[in-house]
Amino acid sequence: MIQQRILVTGGCGYIGSHTLVCLLDPSNSPSIQYSVVVVDNLSNSSPESLIRVADICNIQGFAISDDGRRGSDPSNRLIFRAVDCCDYVRLREVFLEFQAEGGFDSAVHFAGLKAVGESKLIPLTYYQDNLGATLTLLKLMEEFGCRRIVFSSSATVYGVARDEKAKLKETDEVGVTITNCYGRTKFMIEQILTDFH
């Protein structure tokens, strides 16, 4: 059986925790066993979601530390670190922690602010957090030799249809009619990832 370690940023959130279930459920990939390291700053989530993931995936003994900053199970299939992806020093500590065990095979990147309306009120915070977290992550991935990433983008990158009666299609031009800062950060990250690879 192939074993791979995946870094999941923002893994305590709704989409992140559902992705964890898919990665950790052995029936989804019988030939690969994943060990998942979740980093999340818990600004819009709770480590309680990881306890539920462990229950669903029958991962025995998963526990969160008393201070809520760390978590793991005895087999290290599900590991948690309360780290903000914008914090280069703390995120680098996570990369260093797992380097001796082969590092990360890939990353799944969910971390970021995500409210369209809020992004219009505090646009600089969205640019700083969403772009900053991604740039920090990519810099560390490059430093530690991890080049595979799955990025959670958004349909907001399509903007609005030029003809109000027309429906948006996946083949429509992206990035032209985006109506909010959140969507623009996602589009910019897509462009950065194109350059990264």
Side-chain angles (χ1 to χ4, degrees), residues 41 92 188:
N41 68 5
R92 190 171 192 277
M188 288 176 182

Side-chain angles (χ1 to χ4, degrees), residues 134-185:
T134 302
L135 292 171
T136 299
L137 174 63
L138 293 177
K139 184 172 183 173
L140 289 167
M141 288 177 65
E142 187 169 61
E143 179 182 344
F144 287 86
C146 178
R147 299 292 296 184
R148 288 182 283 209
I149 185 168
V150 174
F151 172 60
S152 178
S153 190
S154 169
T156 59
V157 300
Y158 290 100
V160 295
R162 293 181 192 271
D163 175 0
E164 289 183 21
K165 294 178 183 176
K167 294 189 188 250
L168 287 170
K169 299 179 289 305
E170 199 168 324
T171 55
D172 285 352
E173 190 173 9
V174 177
V176 177
T177 59
I178 298 172
T179 62
N180 57 78
C181 174
Y182 166 70
R184 279 187 282 281
T185 66

Side-chain angles (χ1 to χ4, degrees), residues 11-13 17 40 42-52 80:
C12 292
S17 61
D40 199 306
L42 305 175
S43 65
N44 196 26
S45 60
S46 167
E48 178 67 30
S49 65
L50 300 179
I51 293 169
R52 293 182 184 137
F80 168 66

